[in-house]
Amino acid sequence: MTVNKVQQEFHEYVKKMAAYNEALSLIFWDMRTGAPKKGIEQRSEVVGMLSSEVFKMSTSEKMAYFIDTLSNEKDQLSDITVKQLEECKKEYDRNKKIPEDEYKEYVVLLSKSESKWEEAKAASDFSMFQPYLEEVVRYNRKFLEYWGYEGNPYNVLLDLYEPGMTVDVLDQVFGQLRERIVPLVKKIMDSGNKPETDFLFHHFPKSKQREFSIELLKELGYDFEAGRLDETVHPFEITLNIGDVRITTKYDEKDFRTAVFGTIHECGHAIYEQNISPKLTGTLLASGTSMGIHESQSLFFENFIGRNYSFWKKHYELLKKYAPEQFNHVSLDDFYRAINESKPSLIRIEADELTYPLHIMVRYEIEKALFNGELEVKDLPEVWNKKYEEYLGVVPKHNGEGVLQDVHWSGGSFGYFPSYALGYMYAAQFKHSMLKDLPNFDSLLEEGNIAPIKKWLNEKIHQHGKMKKPLELLHEITGEGLNAQYLIDYLEDKYSKIYGL
């Protein structure tokens, strides 16, 4: 069989895997946006079966044949085939070490675990979720042994979400951030120049928040012909294909910021996925290159655009249209200072820009300890509360606002959380580079002209999908490796001005 024929067969094979993944994404979206509770058990079985099929395909003799045959003929292959082959080989080598029946059991467990987490969170009852989480952790520890590791076992989990990232690098950049952020947080706490925020918490009807959110999404460049906005307990973005990228948000009628900034955040994720090159459709490369780069896009939109003074110079009047009684008497300057207030809080997704990385450090340290055998699941609530007191000076009143607040562990996403803080650092670094090409960044926001900013991101980052690795992309765009200093400078400059330090 000719190389071209094998290459064609390989693409068809992978296209089938992508089709299964699309079906799974649709099922997950449905389960998280209102599927009947009584159907969850059977739906979990279906998820297990379909995931098992993808798993079998990724570790089959056919896949081994493609890898062996095509790996020796790379000079005759297209760039897309070469990159897709690399991804499939990495997946093959990893998955081949896990027994098929165990993988299927694990996927079914995750489906049930996510549903149980939602119940436990609503009831603020960790004991409901504990046995499920213990099983999820047990499986992951077992998988680490199957995969094997050198140095810190947590590096293997980090690599799943951020290829090339290690505990050594994270300890260093997190150390730099902590050294500068913690004193700044303390200065702000001691400052007498605090913004007035009472007006933020007036009643803002859900229907009006939704209408405003939809207008913002359109302004930011989210394509509603290739997506939709729904409501859920924990906001997320999910990609079925580049023409169907869905986002969800959570509404709080007593704090409109939850929905508005949550929606802008998920919009950043979605705009990344909607603008991946169409030539990657039907491949395993039609998604973001890493969780960190993905998070850089959501945080770029949420913070560098959505919390920017110039953005609100343009959009504050629009907000007043939807909540005139709440904001008509509030000046733009007071509004801007209020939405950028910094104070220690309990909920990660509602944290301000400055304290946000500290929320990530808590989770990172817990996960690292969990997979280094220094911590057990039963100890999580106590350790969580202690770390929140140490880092942020606040203690959860119940586990719903503490250890149960995030969905990630119920889905087995260990190693994911650090990508949020990495994304923040990437975003600041990208912004620094963008200003060389778009020095009028703030003027564009003030005009409501997001198009040049979006175009820059599309061309430099989005279109490539997984064709480029995260650190390769970072170096190509910025000319250097990961540098925490840009984020430190941004935070110190912004918050010193807001609080007159």
Side-chain angles (χ1 to χ4, degrees), residues 20 54 108 117 151 165 186 209 220 238 341 362 370 421 491:
Y20 274 125
V54 179
V108 172
W117 161 79
M165 194 49 59
K186 185 164 187 340
Q209 288 189 46
L220 292 168
I238 194 163
E341 179 193 27
V362 168
L370 205 53
L491 291 171

Side-chain angles (χ1 to χ4, degrees), residues 191-433:
S191 166
N193 185 21
K194 291 187 171 63
E196 172 59 50
T197 60
D198 288 354
F199 59 83
L200 294 176
F201 308 108
H202 294 186
H203 183 258
F204 193 149
K206 186 195 292 189
S207 60
K208 294 294 183 188
Q209 288 189 46
R210 178 176 166 77
E211 287 173 30
F212 177 62
S213 296
I214 287 171
E215 285 216 46
L216 280 188
L217 286 170
K218 288 175 181 172
E219 289 260 332
L220 292 168
Y222 178 71
D223 183 357
F224 272 97
E225 290 187 4
R228 53 183 287 155
L229 174 67
D230 292 277
E231 184 179 357
T232 191
V233 174
H234 193 100
F236 65 93
E237 172 273 321
I238 194 163
T239 302
L240 276 62
N241 58 64
I242 60 173
D244 190 348
V245 182
R246 306 179 181 196
I247 59 178
T248 69
T249 196
K250 178 186 177 186
Y251 299 101
D252 181 343
E253 294 193 325
K254 291 189 176 161
D255 188 351
F256 79 100
R257 295 173 303 171
T258 302
V260 169
F261 292 107
T263 302
I264 296 174
H265 180 96
E266 299 308 330
C267 173
H269 282 304
I271 283 175
Y272 188 172
E273 297 279 326
Q274 287 182 338
N275 290 282
I276 288 169
S277 171
K279 68 183 181 183
L280 299 177
T281 299
T283 72
L284 301 177
L285 306 172
S287 67
T289 187
S290 74
M291 290 300 110
I293 298 294
H294 230 304
E295 201 58 27
S296 78
Q297 299 310 284
S298 57
L299 289 171
F300 190 95
F301 272 80
E302 180 188 354
N303 294 339
F304 293 93
I305 293 178
R307 295 183 194 274
N308 185 301
Y309 184 79
S310 297
F311 178 79
W312 286 104
K313 268 178 116 169
K314 165 72 178 173
H315 292 95
Y316 191 40
E317 290 306 313
L318 179 65
L319 177 65
K320 286 181 182 178
K321 190 177 95 176
Y322 288 99
E325 289 181 12
Q326 186 169 356
F327 298 114
N328 267 350
H329 68 289
V330 179
S331 73
L332 172 61
D333 284 7
D334 287 345
F335 174 80
Y336 170 73
R337 289 190 74 219
I339 62 168
N340 283 292
E341 179 193 27
S342 177
K343 66 177 183 182
S345 63
L346 293 164
I347 309 298
R348 175 184 63 84
I349 63 168
E350 294 170 13
D352 59 78
E353 287 182 90
L354 181 61
T355 59
Y356 185 81
L358 299 175
H359 289 259
I360 301 307
M361 288 175 203
V362 168
R363 289 152 177 80
Y364 164 65
E365 289 174 13
I366 285 174
E367 286 189 356
K368 192 169 60 165
L370 205 53
F371 290 98
N372 277 284
E374 299 159 5
L375 194 60
E376 293 303 325
V377 169
K378 65 180 174 58
D379 306 316
L380 291 187
E382 184 186 349
V383 173
W384 180 286
N385 293 354
K386 277 183 182 171
K387 284 190 178 291
Y388 260 79
E389 187 169 20
E390 180 190 345
Y391 279 55
L392 290 143
V394 291
V395 182
K397 294 188 189 72
H398 54 77
N399 288 325
E401 63 183 17
V403 73
L404 286 171
Q405 69 179 267
D406 297 298
V407 68
H408 303 63
W409 291 342
S410 71
S413 297
F414 298 101
Y416 188 136
F417 277 120
S419 63
Y420 288 122
L422 283 167
Y424 207 180
M425 286 183 257
Y426 291 152
Q429 211 164 328
F430 289 144
K431 166 82 184 300
H432 179 78
S433 290

Side-chain angles (χ1 to χ4, degrees), residues 109 113 116 125-138 377-378:
L109 167 67
S113 172
K116 188 55 70 175
D125 185 353
F126 185 73
S127 66
M128 290 170 68
F129 179 51
Q130 183 179 326
Y132 291 84
L133 185 55
E134 283 171 345
E135 278 296 284
V136 173
V137 169
R138 185 177 69 81
V377 169
K378 65 180 174 58

